[in-house]
Each structure stands twice: as C-alpha cells, then as structure tokens.
Amino acid sequence: MSAPIELSDLQQWMQSALIEPKATSRQEIETRVRSTSRLSAVAALGIYQNSYHLRIAACMRDQFPALCYALGEGLFNDFVAEYISQAPPESYTLYDLGRRFAGFLQANRPDLDAPESEPWVDFIIDLARFERQIFSTFDCAGAEDLHLAQLTTPDPDLCVQPSLSVAAYGFPVGDYYHAVRQEKSPQPPEREPVYLAVLRKDYVTHTVPVSFAHFIFLQEMCRGGTVGSALSAVSQQLSQDLARVKLAWSEVSEIRDNWIEAGFFLDRSRA
Amino acid sequence: MTVAPAEKAGITDLPKLGLGLGLRNTHFDHILNHWPDVDWFEAISENFMDSGGRPRQVIREVAERYPVVLHGVSLSIGSSDPLDMDYLQRLKLLAQEVQPQWISDHLCWTGVMGLNSHDLLPVPLTEATLDHIAARVHRVQEILGRPLILENPSTYLDFHANTLSEPEFLRALCERTDCGLLLDVNNVFVSCFNTENDPSDYFDSFPWSRVVQMHLAGHTDCGTHLIDTHDQPVRPEVWALFALAWQRSNGASTLLEWDGNIPSFEECHRELLKAKAYMKGGLAQLTGRYAPMPGALAVSNPVNFLVPDVMAGSAELEDR
Ligand SMILES: [Fe+2]
C-alpha cells in the first residue's frame, strides 16, 4: 500500500514549510496553494505555519510551567522554537513533546565556550529534568491497582512501585517548583546538591527529598534491586562497611516506615 | 443488486445518543462528584490510550455510566507514511476496555517521514488520494473490527491539485469503504468561508445517510479568515447550519467541543443544551459577524487542553 508519489511529494513539501517557514519560497507556495479574494496562498499557508508553532509552544508551557516562569514566556518560547526546529515531534502523543527538552538545553547551552559552566544554565537544565520527572509520573503506570507493602512486610519482599523514580540535582528544584506553584515568585536558587524521589500514590504526585545515601539505595531498587543489593550499593558508594550499613538500616526503622507509608514499595509476595 | 454498504457495515445500527460533551481533564472532578445528566461523552483517544494514571481510571468509571465514543487526532489516515500499527493496537486495546459506541478520527494527515505536526492537515482531494485513503480505511476497519467514522476537518487552504469537493470525496470514500461520517458543522462553516464556498452547496452534496455524529464548536473571526479555535460559544451562523443538519441527518448524535479557555462543566453543558431549541426547527437569526481579532493570536486545532495541569495536581514538597 504505497502512497501516490504526488501525495508524498506534496506532504513532504508542506511539512517542511511548517517546520522551516523561511526555507519555503513564495513561488513554490503559489504553485501548490490557491489564493482566494481574501487570502493569498502565502497567507493561507501562513495560518498553518503560525498555528504549528503556537500550538506546540502552548503544550510545552503546560508541561514546563516552572521553567517557563524561570525563563519568562518570551525566552521560553524562543527555546521551544529552536528545540522544535532541531527535534520536531515524532510521536502521536503530545506527552512525548518534552522528552528531549532537557537534553536539547544541555547540548545547546549558551556557556559552552566559557571556562566554567554558568550556574543559571545548570539550574535551567536541572529544572527541565525535574519537570519532566514530575510530568512523566502523572500518567505512568502506578500502584493504584497493586498491593502496597505494609510496615510488617519483610525486607526481601519489598520492591519499588512502578511510578517511583529518583534523581540527583545540583539545585533545590523541588522547592523552586513548589514555590512557583504557590505563586511565591521565587528567585533562582543557589547551588546545592539535592536528591528527589517522585512517586504517585492514589493519583497524587509526591516529591520527597532524600539524602545521598538514600538516593543510592532507592536508585538501586528502582533498577530492580532488592533491599539487600541496595544496602550493598550504599556500602560501596559511600565506602562504608556493609555490616554497619545493614545495622543502620535495621536500627533506624523510621526511614523504612516512612517510605512504606508514603507508598514507595510494593509487597512482592502479593504481586 | 448488492446490499446497501451502510447496512453491511452496520453504521445504520449505531445508536442516536443525543447531546454529548467532550471528556476533558479539567472536568474530571466535577463529573466524578456529580455524575451530571449529560447523554454521552466523547473522549480524545490519545489522552487515554497510554494512560497508567488518573485519566485511565476516570474513563473506566465514566464508561460504566455513560455511552462513550473515542475520537482520535493522530490516526493520520491521509498520510503517505505507513499506518502506525503500534498506535492502532493501543487504540484497539483502549476500545476493548472502554467499549465505545464508535471510533472516529479526521480526514487529514498529521505528518510524514516519522514526524507529527499535531495538526489536522488537509489532504489533496484527488482520485489518487481517494484510492490511497480508501485502502487505508479498509485496513483500519479490519484491525479495529468496526467501521471507522471520519470527520471533515477545518481547512485554511485549497490545493491547486484538488479535483473533488470535500463532500464528493467523502461520499466516494463512504461508498468504497462503508465508513461513517462525523459532520463538524462548525468546520463546514469555517472551511467554506476560508475557501470561498457556500455552506448550503456543501450540505446539498453531502452524503447525509452516512452521518453518525455531529460536532458543534466556536470559532474565531480573524477578518480575512475564520479559525477553528474551540474556545468560545457556538456562533449564531453555525447554530443555523446545525438546525438544518439536525433535520438532514435525522438527529445524529451531537457533541459540543470546547477546548480552549474551557469554562465550568455547567457552562459547557448549558451551551450544549442550546441545541435543543434548534432541533425543534427554530432557525437562528443569521446575525452579522462578530468583531474580528488579529489572526496571529488564534490557534487552529488547539491541543494543549490534552496536556493535564500536572502542577495543580501534585502535592506539596514533603519532609520525610
Ligand atoms: Fe470537530
């Protein structure tokens, strides 16, 4: 079922006219598109070109509201325009639009030639990563229909629930995001290493700051690890004796209980 | 003498659902808390088909209480790219779960060479395109195991290559594939204005026996052209067309689309119920046009309503 050549030709032409309006000549447009008494061919195609950019910018603002606040709408839209021209949308779902945005910002950072990275650029990239983490958590597979672990669930039966993710950031992006959400007009924060666990429970997305050791632990569990392998990872990364790490885990049950109550874990034996 | 294709495919068996509303993220809480007295809901397929979160849960609950129709924006039936089988399988899975009354999409293409513009772009209305799309409609109907219902999009340009009118194209497509039609009354008004055609000519040549559903929506008048913005009440001229369309379609299921600056559920519902006055044959005054607004601000086929307000729905930063 291959398409007629004139159809693929027309569609390739029109699509490139949307993505790169400046590369399309008036003459080409006039040979393809009819003018009316009110609208020239160029103006008629322009409606599609204009809408394409505005439509995607609107979706991106909705997916990155804190980043849009941090950059200001004008600059945010400029970044999106450049992003979309470098990486036009590929998926049938709009939820995919922001997937490559943090990577784009990283690859196109304005301080590439500077001897040191600019803190505000690092912050913008971290904020984009965090907003993607939050956005993905909203609608990914979750634990709502599964058996969450109880305080009495033994360690070997604990595994992370599907929506849990952890990430390391160089700025307190969670605080910043929630300050924007509460319309507190936050200033860009100072550098500070933070580790954030994000998960959904009963269809509400939660952000939980954790320590570096806890981040290592949860990261290992998110990779499919067990409590045992996660404790080993902590011992290795922090160069601490495994026996001491295990002892700390079993003696300070507060952390474990908190995480279980927050819905971090499933009970593997009831899956 | 062959059996009438419409009977074979069963589009004539599809129910007349009355007056429905689009199932929108911003209305979820209201719907779940009040179970409003609306006849049916239309859900945007892409908003639910990959959902592992609340939208999936909401559509399950809604489908238990109301008739639901799945309306897609990414099938890209008119594209020269191959059909997206992964998309179709996901759509089919969603349909198995939700049991929609029917599945619709648009006579359009959304992208080629693996890209997606997230717009409903016009196809050249030619015999060659018709052959191409008819073959694809057959394939989609085979996969989904039901007739496909296709909507006339809002268009802003006419190709020199066009040799058929849109109603002629749709009529031929229905005859070849037994598909059904979703007549967007506002899109008829918008497209006819933009391409300098007369909506009554459009209606006169439209294959009414194929109409399963209708859409109503508001548009924006940009002076030189109209844009299908779905962000305001239905215009009087469109209500007048609806009154005719209701008669000619024999009361096809009718749905109001409101996708930008979405007001409360009650306000959308009130706007929808205005249709009742026109169903009784009351003809709206064909009033003068509203004050135009600059075209640069109006966006056709707005889609950002599909992006949930994740920020509003997330909990405070926690201290654990
Ligand atoms: Fe429509």
Side-chain angles (χ1 to χ4, degrees):
Chain A
M1 193 160 45
S2 72
I5 189 80
E6 60 271 28
L7 180 66
S8 35
D9 182 53
L10 179 79
Q11 292 183 334
Q12 285 177 24
W13 170 79
M14 187 165 173
Q15 179 169 283
S16 48
L18 296 187
I19 294 170
E20 266 191 284
K22 291 190 191 88
T24 312
S25 78
R26 166 184 215 98
Q27 202 189 356
E28 274 177 275
I29 299 170
E30 283 168 353
T31 56
R32 304 269 193 187
V33 177
R34 201 171 282 169
S35 297
T36 70
S37 68
R38 285 184 301 256
L39 273 180
S40 68
V42 171
L45 180 67
I47 297 170
Y48 287 97
Q49 291 167 320
N50 197 31
S51 284
Y52 170 66
H53 283 97
L54 293 176
R55 184 184 303 114
I56 288 178
C59 290
M60 287 288 285
R61 288 195 300 274
D62 289 347
Q63 294 187 18
F64 296 92
L67 184 60
C68 184
Y69 168 81
L71 289 171
E73 193 172 319
L75 189 54
F76 180 86
N77 288 348
D78 290 347
F79 274 117
V80 169
E82 185 54 31
Y83 169 55
I84 289 308
S85 84
Q86 280 192 29
E90 287 174 343
S91 172
Y92 61 82
T93 170
L94 287 162
Y95 286 23
D96 190 63
L97 271 186
R99 179 173 50 86
R100 296 176 288 178
F101 196 40
F104 160 83
L105 294 171
Q106 175 65 36
N108 293 274
R109 41 189 309 149
D111 58 351
L112 276 178
D113 298 329
E116 273 176 43
S117 68
E118 288 277 350
W120 79 271
V121 181
D122 287 333
F123 168 62
I124 289 304
I125 295 168
D126 267 10
L127 188 55
R129 286 175 50 224
F130 176 67
E131 287 204 275
R132 183 66 191 167
Q133 190 186 4
I134 289 272
F135 186 77
S136 305
T137 308
F138 169 80
D139 211 21
C140 66
E144 282 84 0
D145 295 333
L146 302 173
H147 289 290
L148 285 176
Q150 311 281 309
L151 294 178
T152 52
T153 307
D155 277 356
D157 289 339
L158 295 180
C159 63
V160 291
Q161 69 124 311
S163 76
L164 181 74
S165 65
V166 285
Y169 297 100
F171 296 82
V173 284
D175 295 292
Y176 185 86
Y177 177 88
H178 287 280
V180 174
R181 179 176 179 266
Q182 292 161 19
E183 298 179 5
K184 286 182 179 164
S185 312
Q187 292 298 309
E190 298 288 317
R191 271 191 208 281
E192 176 194 336
V194 297
Y195 306 94
L196 299 176
V198 174
L199 79 161
R200 199 180 72 227
K201 188 185 175 207
D202 298 331
Y203 302 117
V204 178
T205 300
H206 301 264
T207 306
V208 186
V210 296
S211 70
F212 178 63
H214 296 156
F215 165 70
I216 298 294
F217 180 96
L218 293 168
Q219 191 180 43
E220 168 59 20
M221 289 205 70
C222 285
R223 290 172 179 153
T226 59
V227 168
S229 71
L231 291 172
S232 299
V234 172
S235 138
Q236 265 180 14
Q237 293 254 356
L238 271 65
S239 309
Q240 287 201 10
D241 184 45
L242 180 58
R244 280 186 57 188
V245 172
K246 283 183 173 167
L247 190 66
W249 171 254
S250 61
E251 280 185 343
V252 190
S253 64
E254 203 177 289
I255 300 289
R256 181 187 191 275
D257 295 353
N258 264 332
W259 287 350
I260 287 176
E261 276 166 3
F264 279 36
F265 302 120
L266 300 179
D267 184 340
R268 207 190 293 266
S269 71
R270 300 179 70 197
Chain B
M1 187 73 195
T2 53
V3 183
E7 283 176 58
K8 245 191 332 191
I11 65 159
T12 50
D13 299 333
L14 295 174
K16 294 195 190 300
L17 301 175
L19 300 176
L21 278 177
L23 181 60
R24 301 291 179 255
N25 294 316
T26 51
H27 294 155
F28 283 174
D29 287 336
H30 180 90
I31 296 167
L32 265 49
N33 291 330
H34 300 276
W35 300 119
D37 186 19
V38 61
D39 294 340
W40 60 286
F41 283 104
E42 181 188 73
I44 303 291
S45 316
E46 292 79 3
N47 214 12
F48 299 91
M49 60 201 281
D50 297 320
S51 172
R54 184 148 190 255
R56 193 75 169 229
Q57 175 60 23
V58 170
I59 198 172
R60 276 187 209 142
E61 290 188 40
V62 168
E64 278 174 20
R65 300 187 184 230
Y66 301 88
V68 166
V69 161
L70 291 178
H71 182 53
V73 292
S74 297
L75 176 60
S76 203
I77 196 75
S79 175
S80 48
D81 269 8
L83 284 168
D84 183 342
M85 290 302 160
D86 173 52
Y87 170 85
L88 280 166
Q89 288 307 330
R90 287 164 184 271
L91 179 59
K92 191 174 180 175
L93 280 177
L94 179 65
Q96 280 165 359
E97 193 173 318
V98 172
Q99 297 290 320
Q101 302 294 322
W102 54 83
I103 298 176
S104 62
D105 204 291
H106 302 79
L107 175 70
C108 74
W109 60 289
T110 59
V112 284
M113 298 184 292
L115 301 185
N116 189 330
S117 69
H118 295 290
D119 197 357
L120 309 171
L121 302 168
V123 294
L125 302 168
T126 66
E127 292 292 340
T129 312
L130 180 59
D131 289 343
H132 176 65
I133 295 183
R136 286 160 70 94
V137 170
H138 275 300
R139 186 83 186 96
V140 169
Q141 294 184 147
E142 252 168 53
I143 294 169
L144 297 178
R146 52 166 86 224
L148 180 64
I149 311 302
L150 285 173
E151 174 178 355
N152 57 303
S154 55
T155 51
Y156 306 95
L157 60 73
D158 235 356
F159 294 113
H160 282 300
N162 289 0
T163 55
L164 298 165
S165 71
E166 194 171 85
E168 284 167 349
F169 190 98
L170 290 169
R171 177 186 294 274
L173 187 61
C174 289
E175 279 165 6
R176 290 208 208 170
T177 65
D178 301 337
C179 71
L181 297 176
L182 193 178
L183 175 68
D184 187 315
V185 179
N186 181 58
N187 287 353
V188 171
F189 188 80
V190 165
S191 299
C192 284
F193 182 88
N194 292 336
T195 56
E196 298 186 324
N197 285 296
D198 187 338
S200 43
D201 292 345
Y202 190 104
F203 271 21
D204 284 346
S205 50
F206 200 77
W208 289 96
S209 65
R210 302 295 182 152
V211 177
V212 171
Q213 186 191 329
M214 296 195 282
H215 269 169
L216 287 165
H219 62 256
T220 299
D221 186 338
C222 301
T224 55
H225 57 282
L226 307 181
I227 292 192
D228 179 33
T229 45
H230 295 188
D231 61 352
Q232 50 189 298
V234 179
R235 300 280 180 133
E237 306 90 316
V238 174
W239 280 125
L241 279 181
F242 169 70
L244 292 172
W246 179 261
Q247 302 298 329
R248 290 189 161 184
S249 70
N250 257 321
S253 308
T254 295
L255 184 119
L256 173 72
E257 297 182 288
W258 201 322
D259 303 325
N261 307 320
I262 306 178
S264 69
F265 186 90
E266 288 99 330
E267 195 176 332
C268 289
H269 200 191
R270 268 197 299 278
E271 183 66 16
L272 169 71
L273 295 179
K274 285 183 191 168
K276 289 193 172 176
Y278 301 95
M279 284 151 51
K280 294 184 188 118
L283 271 189
Q285 202 64 28
L286 284 169
T287 54
R289 292 167 58 198
Y290 289 38
M293 74 177 266
L297 300 173
V299 182
S300 65
N301 302 319
V303 286
N304 55 308
F305 72 93
L306 297 173
V307 179
D309 187 350
V310 169
M311 189 177 245
S314 58
E316 298 302 311
L317 198 65
E318 289 175 36
D319 188 18
R320 283 188 184 270

